[in-house]
Amino acid sequence: MKFDAALLLRLIRDQGTLEQASSILRARGLEHSGSNWDDMIDRRLLASLNDGKLSEQDMIAIFAEVEEHGRQHVFLYELGRGKTIDHLFDKATLRRLLKSSQRFPNLGEPSFVESPETPVIVEVRYETHGEAAFLVIKVVEPREQHYNKQETESGGRRTITFDVRRYRAVNVVRIWKSGLVELRIFSHRDPISYQGLATALWGQIDAVVQQDMFRICDLAPFRGAFWDKDRREDVQKLFALRSSDHKNAAGNRVRAAATASDTTMFDDPDLIASMDSFHSERSAAECERATVALRHEASGGKLNRNVNLLLHGETNEFTITSKVTRSEYEFVLDSILKNNK
């Protein structure tokens, strides 16, 4: 597809944040300050493109980084026993699979769809991060936001109307050569359950890879690490626990939370003692949900600020509540996986 700088810049503005764009430019050693989007686009992105400091491929990479990371519900899966995905990492085989379905573009040929009528697979590509290799499938879908609710009554009838705003959402499937899978679903602007959306996303790519090849990657060990007295000291160095929900073997539930914005639950010894009592060996309690913050001061410079995470919903689901750069996303995911043992 022909490179369209104006379209890419518009999509970067719609999908990203100023902080995200600034961090990406800073990582490339370019001027990165911008007081508003007009400033960021005209004086930074477009100026760097025009004077050759950014190439067309750089702009495409920036666009991908902006729209593919953060403000997402992420579902994790792992390859089932006896299953293999070697065929997905053989280019000739993958190209044949892609051509067998009209839903898929050619390998490594992205398209830039601004506002589709139905979900569209816009890119299939290989990428690497360190020693890890991935297959990435990107899906763009239309969304609607309803706002400005208005009610009128006439003739014994009440009429409710909304203004409707359409927006573009990007969902990403990343399949690791090692067998791990991430389904990243762009967060809706209204609270909903995401399990059905994850199933639908699997269905959109089933001509190439099928959900039944994988099993869920349960995040219970990570949620439970805060309540394991042998592990909590280490996990607390990186994660601040803000709230958590618990259920014991009898089905009884307890919820606890730190209320002050600059504290964690572990700043209150009495609160923790109570929760430890609920987690006695006899009660067989489990942590079902948690809200945590990944501490920037413990990230070794990988994060510029704390990143809030929700461990809610399905057992293999976590949510990144803000936009992040790719390097920040990789650090978040790596930190979760290392503590999910």
Side-chain angles (χ1 to χ4, degrees):
M1 184 176 182
K2 185 179 178 181
F3 180 77
D4 187 336
L7 174 59
L8 279 187
L9 288 169
R10 186 164 64 250
L11 291 174
I12 288 171
R13 180 174 186 155
D14 290 344
Q15 296 292 312
T17 65
L18 281 173
E19 180 183 25
Q20 191 182 28
S22 177
S23 295
I24 292 170
L25 290 175
R26 182 170 57 246
R28 286 168 164 77
L30 299 174
E31 293 291 335
H32 58 272
S33 60
S35 58
N36 53 53
W37 269 115
D38 289 338
D39 197 39
M40 178 63 70
I41 288 175
D42 293 338
R43 296 182 56 243
R44 301 309 179 205
L45 291 169
L46 190 57
S48 294
L49 179 65
N50 290 336
D51 64 16
K53 293 179 181 178
L54 286 176
S55 67
E56 292 182 1
Q57 288 303 312
D58 287 332
M59 286 293 295
I60 292 171
I62 289 173
F63 167 63
E65 183 164 349
V66 162
E67 71 171 0
E68 293 179 15
H69 303 94
R71 206 174 293 159
Q72 297 163 321
H73 286 247
V74 182
F75 291 79
L76 299 181
Y77 303 83
E78 54 193 2
L79 192 63
R81 292 180 181 176
K83 305 292 185 179
T84 180
I85 54 172
D86 290 347
H87 61 291
L88 297 180
F89 292 88
D90 178 84
K91 286 186 179 181
T93 302
L94 179 60
R95 286 193 174 105
R96 287 196 297 270
L97 282 173
L98 297 177
K99 288 184 179 298
S100 70
S101 172
Q102 294 182 347
R103 286 183 287 174
F104 289 89
N106 292 330
L107 180 64
E109 297 181 10
S111 58
F112 307 107
V113 180
E114 186 170 10
S115 184
E117 293 298 321
T118 59
V120 177
I121 300 172
V122 296
E123 185 176 8
V124 180
R125 70 176 189 267
Y126 289 122
E127 68 177 25
T128 60
H129 177 66
E131 297 181 355
F134 316 98
L135 175 65
V136 177
I137 304 174
K138 183 158 66 173
V139 181
V140 172
E141 68 175 21
R143 297 260 183 95
E144 289 185 352
Q145 180 185 16
H146 297 173
Y147 63 104
N148 289 344
K149 178 180 176 181
Q150 303 169 30
E151 298 185 22
T152 59
E153 291 190 17
S154 178
R157 291 186 177 182
R158 175 177 296 174
T159 302
I160 301 176
T161 60
F162 297 88
D163 291 333
V164 178
R165 178 181 297 149
R166 289 173 59 88
Y167 66 98
R168 179 180 183 274
V170 175
N171 303 321
V172 178
V173 181
R174 188 166 75 160
I175 304 167
W176 296 47
K177 193 172 184 179
S178 64
L180 184 72
V181 175
E182 309 153 43
L183 260 62
R184 308 182 209 157
I185 300 175
F186 189 70
S187 296
H188 277 259
R189 297 176 182 180
D190 299 308
I192 63 168
S193 171
Y194 285 78
Q195 178 58 63
L197 300 180
T199 300
L201 185 54
W202 275 115
Q204 290 162 13
I205 65 171
D206 63 0
V208 169
V209 58
Q210 297 76 44
Q211 182 177 0
D212 61 10
M213 297 175 62
F214 301 88
R215 58 191 179 189
I216 66 169
C217 178
D218 196 344
L219 295 176
F222 175 46
R223 296 191 300 272
F226 296 95
W227 308 104
D228 183 332
K229 294 180 181 179
D230 293 329
R231 299 181 60 195
R232 68 168 46 148
E233 183 175 349
D234 285 337
V235 76
Q236 281 186 80
K237 294 176 183 177
L238 192 54
F239 295 94
L241 182 64
R242 300 285 301 142
S243 69
S244 57
D245 293 34
H246 308 256
K247 183 177 75 171
N248 65 14
N252 298 316
R253 285 184 164 87
V254 172
R255 184 174 195 275
T259 56
S261 60
D262 59 346
T263 63
T264 79
M265 288 173 56
F266 286 93
D267 292 328
D268 187 336
D270 293 333
L271 175 61
I272 296 304
S274 297
M275 299 310 302
D276 283 341
S277 178
F278 189 75
H279 274 263
S280 68
E281 184 175 345
R282 181 169 56 88
S283 74
E286 295 182 348
C287 179
E288 293 186 304
R289 298 159 57 98
T291 301
V292 303
L294 196 51
R295 303 176 188 267
H296 74 91
E297 67 271 17
S299 70
K302 299 292 181 61
L303 303 177
N304 294 319
R305 78 289 189 214
N306 291 350
V307 174
N308 294 320
L309 306 174
L310 307 179
L311 300 168
H312 294 179
E314 303 302 315
T315 60
N316 63 326
E317 177 183 358
F318 70 92
T319 303
I320 301 177
T321 62
S322 60
K323 278 288 189 176
V324 294
T325 64
R326 175 176 177 176
S327 62
E328 289 173 329
Y329 175 83
E330 302 291 6
F331 181 74
V332 169
L333 180 61
D334 184 60
S335 299
I336 290 174
L337 293 175
K338 283 181 177 179
N339 285 280
N340 193 49
K341 298 176 181 179

